[in-house]
Amino acid sequence: MGYRYAVIGSGRQGTAAGYDLAKFGDAEKILMIDFNEVKAQTAALQINELVDRNVASGYFGYVRKSRKVELILADLLKGVRLFVSAVPYQFNQELTHLAVRLGVNMVDLGGHTLTTKQQLSFYPISDKSGVTIVPDCGMGPGMNISLALYAMSLLDTPKEVFIWDGGLPQDPKPPLNYFSSFDINGLLNEYSGKASFIRNGDVVEVSALSELELIDFGSQIGMLEAFVTSGGLSTAPWTFRNKLQRLENKTLRYPGHCNYFKVLNDLGFLDRDLVVGERDGAARPYDILRRILKLHLSSGDKDICVMRVQCTGEKNSKPAQAIVELVDYFDPSTGFTAMQRLTGWHASIVGQMAAAGMLPSGVVPIEMVPGPAVVAEARKRGFVITEKISYVV
């Protein structure tokens, strides 16, 4: 007898999560839930075709603060072992409350550290039996942290961890050399505000779009730029404060991308509070930029996702360094982009661990999900993850 799963949100990432649950999660039934029932049914059909069995079905349902909607979701989630929240982070607090009330395990795609902290405060980790909820699954935050934990496990005493990750088009088009692989609001959210890092053992804030550097990823990928973006480490800086001397995460793009957005930021286009004009002519530059990007940022399937983690510390009482790298490409056999695979499949992997009782009860930070176990599951799915340990002279 298998598990019943649900995925709330039937977009690209939700569909990829549903597929992985169907293929690897001992699934008896998967409910694809969306406010657009046709979209949910289309996602279910795609999953069924890929796994060659009728395991997924599409249903109408969405997250809103109303008693009627809550009852619709509560009825759909009866008997479900785990659900994946693949909707915007604004709904995850409400879904966390619903998961606890119904006794259903949950993972979400997060991406907003304040919301994650609110979830952690609402339902702390406990030795008592209960549901498991893991926020901030996905590519970053998510898989980037799992890879960092794996790199840390390769040394006896990890001290400094540096993470670089990003999703890129295989065929970049100027001027931004980027295409829309996930929600524009999420992208602009990463490019504004501040990131939380660990430096000298303590948590510090660093402005987004700062500390630009170039990194060589070899002949196949070439030179990429890396710069600070917000939210990529979730709550890890607070968890590893005074345990690591340094913990940092930068986003990878093709060279030149960061400077375009730095100019836009300097002009106020990333400030959600800025309003220009008066009365009927008043507008937020942020909204104008968002509409322009939706028009002009090409969307596509043929992408590449790159992750590299460098961990320095000690092994066998000697200074050592571990480098872990993951590079993934659009998969024509499933039609999934690399971003879908890394985001949706990571959420599914962690969700399956929660459903199997491998994680504590309560809201579990992503950095407390065992990295080596996640990497082992990722390798089963064909992800190419390389590692190299060297002693530092």
Side-chain angles (χ1 to χ4, degrees), residues 160-164 196-199 204 206 211 213 228 233 246-250:
E160 296 187 339
V161 178
F162 299 88
I163 307 168
W164 300 272
S196 296
F197 290 168
I198 295 176
R199 290 179 175 171
V204 299
V206 182
E211 303 192 7
E213 62 178 330
V228 176
L233 290 174
R246 201 159 180 178
L247 174 63
E248 301 187 8
N249 178 211
K250 289 185 177 181

Side-chain angles (χ1 to χ4, degrees), residues 71-83:
L71 290 174
I72 292 172
L73 274 181
D75 188 58
L76 287 171
L77 294 174
K78 284 181 181 176
V80 166
R81 179 73 172 179
L82 166 102
F83 72 84

Side-chain angles (χ1 to χ4, degrees), residues 112-133:
H112 189 255
T113 305
L114 178 59
T115 299
T116 300
K117 286 184 172 182
Q118 291 170 343
Q119 291 170 279
L120 289 165
S121 298
F122 170 70
Y123 192 58
I125 290 176
S126 171
D127 292 333
K128 298 178 182 179
S129 61
V131 300
T132 298
I133 297 168

Side-chain angles (χ1 to χ4, degrees), residues 129-388:
S129 61
V131 300
T132 298
I133 297 168
V134 186
D136 281 343
C137 299
M139 179 176 169
M143 190 65 186
N144 62 340
I145 295 172
S146 296
L147 283 187
L149 295 172
Y150 180 67
M152 290 166 63
S153 76
L154 299 176
L155 301 184
D156 299 329
T157 308
K159 295 180 179 180
E160 296 187 339
V161 178
F162 299 88
I163 307 168
W164 300 272
D165 64 87
L168 304 162
Q170 291 186 30
D171 183 23
K173 298 287 192 302
L176 296 178
N177 294 317
Y178 185 75
F179 66 33
S180 179
S181 56
F182 66 105
D183 183 65
I184 292 294
N185 289 318
L187 179 73
L188 295 179
N189 185 60
E190 289 182 358
Y191 288 178
S192 59
K194 295 182 181 294
S196 296
F197 290 168
I198 295 176
R199 290 179 175 171
N200 297 318
D202 206 357
V203 178
V204 299
E205 289 191 336
V206 182
S207 296
L209 301 175
S210 68
E211 303 192 7
L212 181 67
E213 62 178 330
L214 291 174
I215 301 177
D216 190 353
F217 281 87
S219 58
Q220 283 194 316
I221 299 172
M223 195 73 72
L224 299 178
E225 66 179 22
F227 54 92
V228 176
T229 56
S230 64
L233 290 174
S234 186
T235 54
W238 292 272
T239 298
F240 291 113
R241 184 191 325 199
N242 296 322
K243 298 175 184 176
L244 290 172
Q245 283 299 301
R246 201 159 180 178
L247 174 63
E248 301 187 8
N249 178 211
K250 289 185 177 181
T251 292
L252 297 170
R253 296 286 184 258
Y254 291 114
H257 180 95
C258 178
N259 282 334
Y260 282 113
F261 277 94
K262 195 169 189 315
V263 170
L264 290 169
N265 184 56
D266 291 344
L267 292 173
F269 281 91
L270 301 186
D271 184 352
R272 299 189 188 203
D273 296 324
L274 177 63
V275 178
V276 296
E278 298 179 359
R279 297 182 181 177
D280 294 342
R284 292 195 309 171
Y286 176 88
D287 293 327
I288 296 169
L289 174 62
R290 185 179 58 183
R291 289 197 293 269
I292 290 173
L293 289 177
K294 284 183 178 181
L295 285 173
H296 294 287
L297 263 188
S298 60
S299 61
D301 292 324
K302 292 187 178 180
D303 66 338
I304 176 173
C305 287
V306 183
M307 291 187 171
R308 178 184 288 175
V309 177
Q310 175 184 299
C311 177
T312 60
E314 293 183 354
K315 188 175 180 68
N316 299 322
S317 300
K318 299 177 183 178
Q321 173 181 273
I323 295 179
V324 177
E325 193 164 291
L326 185 161
V327 179
D328 195 52
Y329 296 84
F330 166 74
D331 177 19
S333 67
T334 61
F336 290 143
T337 64
M339 181 67 72
Q340 280 181 278
R341 286 155 55 91
L342 281 167
T343 303
W345 293 8
H346 182 268
S348 173
I349 289 169
V350 175
Q352 290 172 50
M353 295 170 70
M358 297 171 60
L359 303 175
S361 298
V363 178
V364 179
I366 189 62
E367 65 270 15
M368 291 186 66
V369 176
V374 173
V375 167
E377 287 298 320
R379 283 173 166 157
K380 288 180 185 177
R381 289 154 173 80
F383 286 115
V384 178
I385 301 171
T386 61
E387 59 193 75
K388 181 181 179 182

